[in-house]
């Protein structure tokens, strides 16, 4: 059974940085691309970051975060990371990690390229 457990969320002040983690189990972590997506209340999913199976190729698809986000992975530890810098209240959302269907990143990320996602971790940016 695939399990993805996000951690590291919480309340941060504007301008601060946050590092999220996602621990995976139940599948060969190093064989699949991984994603970070987020959803704010009343809004659709936003694709924050993708990383290929080997960790050498990354994509940042959301214009509002692409210059502030850094995605990484440690396959030996089955862990995915997301660091988001210079956070603003607009970053408030539930952040999910998700397992890709394939090993590579996608030019146009879509939900059909995801097979599983975690329960999410709430991030609130507020002064």
């Amino acid at each position: 059974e695939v399990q993805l457990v996000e951690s590291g969320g919480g309340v941060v002040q504007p301008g601060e940085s946050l590092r999220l983690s996602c621990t995976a189990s139940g599948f060969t972590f190093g064989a699949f691309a991984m994603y970070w997506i987020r959803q704010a209340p009343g809004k659709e999913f936003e694709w924050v970051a993708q990383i290929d199976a080997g960790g050498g190729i990354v994509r940042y698809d959301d214009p509002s975060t692409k210059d502030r986000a850094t995605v990484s992975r440690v396959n030996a530890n089955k862990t995915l990371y997301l660091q988001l810098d210079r956070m603003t209240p607009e970053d408030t959302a539930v952040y999910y990690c998700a397992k890709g269907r394939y090993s590579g990143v996608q030019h146009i990320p879509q939900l059909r390229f995801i097979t599983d996602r975690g329960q999410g971790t709430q991030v609130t940016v507020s002064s």
Side-chain angles (χ1 to χ4, degrees):
E1 178 188 2
V2 172
Q3 289 193 329
L4 300 167
V5 180
E6 302 92 342
S7 61
V11 179
V12 298
Q13 294 193 346
E16 292 186 339
S17 299
L18 192 68
R19 191 189 197 203
L20 304 179
S21 301
C22 171
T23 302
S25 62
F27 66 101
T28 305
F29 182 73
F32 297 94
M34 295 294 294
Y35 298 78
W36 283 103
I37 56 178
R38 70 182 185 181
Q39 189 171 32
K43 296 188 176 182
E44 297 185 355
F45 282 112
E46 293 180 328
W47 299 86
V48 179
Q50 310 178 49
I51 186 168
D52 77 332
I57 300 174
V58 300
R59 283 182 60 94
Y60 302 100
D61 296 286
D62 176 51
S64 70
T65 58
K66 65 184 305 180
D67 295 328
R68 301 184 290 117
T70 303
V71 62
S72 60
R73 65 192 294 167
V74 179
N75 286 346
N77 295 341
K78 300 183 180 180
T79 305
L80 175 74
Y81 301 97
L82 176 71
Q83 174 151 336
L84 195 55
D85 298 321
R86 305 186 303 280
M87 298 186 73
T88 73
E90 288 67 40
D91 294 319
T92 296
V94 179
Y95 286 71
Y96 301 91
C97 73
K99 171 186 170 292
R101 187 175 300 278
Y102 309 109
S103 61
V105 299
Q106 303 299 322
H107 289 292
I108 302 176
Q110 300 176 37
L111 288 176
R112 64 188 178 97
F113 294 125
I114 284 176
T115 61
D116 303 87
R117 64 178 170 92
Q119 293 297 309
T121 185
Q122 175 70 47
V123 173
T124 302
V125 184
S126 175
S127 56

